[in-house]
Amino acid sequence: MKTVEFRYLSQNDVIDVGLTMKDAISIVEEVLREHGLQEFENPPKPGIHTLQGAFIHAMPGFLPRKKAAGMKWVSGYSDNFQYGLPSIMGLVVLNDPNTGQPLAVMDGGYITALRTAAASGVSAKYLAAKDAGVLGIVGTGVQGRYHLLSLKEVLPRIEEIKIFDTNESVLAEFISHAKEHGSLNIISCTSAQEVIEGADVVVTATGHLEERVYKDSWVKKGALVLPVHTRGWEKSMLAKADKFIVDDWQQFNNALGGSDGYYAPLPQLYAELGQIVVGKKPGRENTAERIVNLNFGMAIHDVLMATRILERAETKGIGMMLPLLN
């Protein structure tokens, strides 16, 4: 029997392969195209919950036409800042789809940050008003910062960024980060309401919320709403939307639907995002539509992004080969 080894990539290694936000958006759109064509396996996430409002999820995924298979094992603990730890941490394991051999183990935190924001970028490409000029971001942590990069990539007319966060140091870090990416009109608001009112694209990227703090009445006609962390909105926001869209209905309904789900009863689904990407359903059809797109997060995004990272790492000789079997 031959020796079996796999490539280990730390977070620095993953970053060093040089994947850009533009690359990430392209990869996520590629995945959504496969999803829209039903060329995927992405079972709903099983998980454990060691603390209230926290999770550790297993996220397996397979894209047969891309020959990409693997799983992300990811945790989400909103209070980790008090321990000096990121709220999202995880690992991605890739397997050879022909033999099952483990090919790589790599950091999943950076991949999660990149692909989550990239999914919103694809959403905005198809669902935001083409002349969108005002972006509102509630929650200016990692996802707030990466969403700024993603949405600026697909909405070049964005000129005004309204932001709010209860943590002053996180807010200051966002502003410093934004200044590194060109001259932007950053407006620091005093409330989530002030951010959301008048925004063409709304991103809510706070931690885990049980309380419904975001009001339907704050959202203007023609806005696109992207709840990154899916909770926190009034139920009426989904029901009153002109188009209610998710990334994967089975997974979303499994987590937030049912008889006692956070948004139960869920309104009629307009489309999965992949159906819009492949042209089975139109995206935005007029400037007055209020559209809500909840992307719950699909393992197939992580798996294909990790596959592209591994390809680059192999070419550049990045990472460490570790023995598994002799």
Side-chain angles (χ1 to χ4, degrees):
M1 184 179 294
K2 70 176 184 178
T3 298
V4 175
E5 56 183 9
F6 64 92
R7 189 175 297 269
Y8 168 74
L9 299 172
S10 68
Q11 184 172 99
N12 284 342
D13 293 332
V14 171
I15 293 170
D16 286 346
V17 304
L19 207 66
T20 66
M21 180 58 75
K22 185 175 182 180
D23 294 329
I25 291 170
S26 178
I27 291 168
V28 166
E29 189 169 8
E30 189 178 351
V31 171
L32 287 164
R33 190 170 291 110
E34 295 300 291
H35 189 275
L37 296 172
Q38 297 296 297
E39 295 283 350
F40 72 97
E41 283 188 50
N42 193 89
K45 312 171 187 180
I48 56 177
H49 305 84
T50 63
L51 296 174
Q52 180 69 30
F55 66 84
I56 309 175
H57 282 162
M59 297 175 62
F62 176 41
L63 292 166
R65 301 201 308 177
K66 305 298 178 181
K67 298 180 173 57
M71 184 189 78
K72 182 169 74 172
W73 180 240
V74 62
S75 62
Y77 285 66
S78 297
D79 294 333
N80 269 0
F81 66 89
Q82 62 187 319
Y83 306 112
L85 293 171
S87 60
I88 300 292
M89 292 184 283
L91 295 170
V92 178
V93 180
L94 294 178
N95 298 79
D96 185 322
N98 294 317
T99 66
Q101 176 183 331
L103 300 175
V105 174
M106 68 184 73
D107 165 66
Y110 181 71
I111 290 173
T112 300
L114 205 58
R115 68 84 156 143
T116 302
S120 292
V122 177
S123 297
K125 177 180 175 179
Y126 290 90
L127 303 174
K130 298 303 179 187
D131 62 348
V134 181
L135 169 62
I137 300 176
V138 181
T140 57
V142 171
Q143 276 306 319
R145 296 198 303 272
Y146 277 82
H147 270 72
L148 173 60
L149 297 179
S150 175
L151 294 169
K152 279 292 292 177
E153 189 71 42
V154 299
L155 299 173
R157 296 187 182 181
I158 290 287
E159 295 180 349
E160 184 175 295
I161 318 294
K162 300 199 297 180
I163 58 173
F164 172 71
D165 200 297
T166 57
N167 188 316
E168 289 295 329
S169 63
V170 171
L171 197 66
E173 188 175 353
F174 178 97
I175 293 171
S176 175
H177 177 266
K179 288 179 180 178
E180 297 174 4
H181 296 276
S183 178
L184 298 170
N185 182 19
I186 307 292
I187 300 173
S188 186
C189 299
T190 58
S191 68
Q193 180 177 355
E194 188 181 347
V195 168
I196 293 168
E197 289 181 337
D200 298 309
V201 179
V202 176
V203 174
T204 50
T206 51
H208 183 90
L209 291 173
E210 287 297 334
E211 185 182 355
R212 301 178 191 280
V213 298
Y214 309 127
K215 307 297 183 184
D216 165 69
S217 60
W218 299 347
V219 180
K220 74 169 197 173
K221 286 186 177 181
L224 168 63
V225 180
L226 298 167
V228 180
H229 297 291
T230 50
R231 298 170 185 247
W233 283 91
E234 291 180 314
K235 290 184 183 181
S236 59
M237 181 63 231
L238 275 61
K240 292 181 180 179
D242 295 300
K243 286 176 178 170
F244 166 52
I245 297 162
V246 301
D247 51 358
D248 184 276
W249 175 248
Q250 181 186 11
Q251 184 168 258
F252 184 85
N253 188 41
N254 184 67
L256 296 169
S259 59
D260 57 353
Y262 188 81
Y263 289 116
L266 290 172
Q268 179 68 38
L269 182 72
Y270 170 71
E272 291 178 320
L273 185 56
Q275 292 176 309
I276 293 171
V277 170
V278 299
K280 291 182 179 179
K281 291 281 189 75
R284 176 172 290 277
E285 295 179 273
N286 62 68
T287 58
E289 286 181 312
R290 288 202 311 174
I291 300 176
V292 179
N293 180 199
L294 289 118
N295 294 317
F296 193 62
M298 297 192 294
I300 47 179
H301 288 320
D302 303 291
V303 168
L304 188 60
M305 192 162 292
T307 298
R308 297 288 183 257
I309 288 169
L310 177 60
E311 291 168 354
R312 292 188 180 205
E314 290 172 339
T315 299
K316 296 183 177 184
I318 294 174
M320 181 186 300
M321 297 306 297
L322 297 176
L324 183 64
L325 297 172
N326 286 317

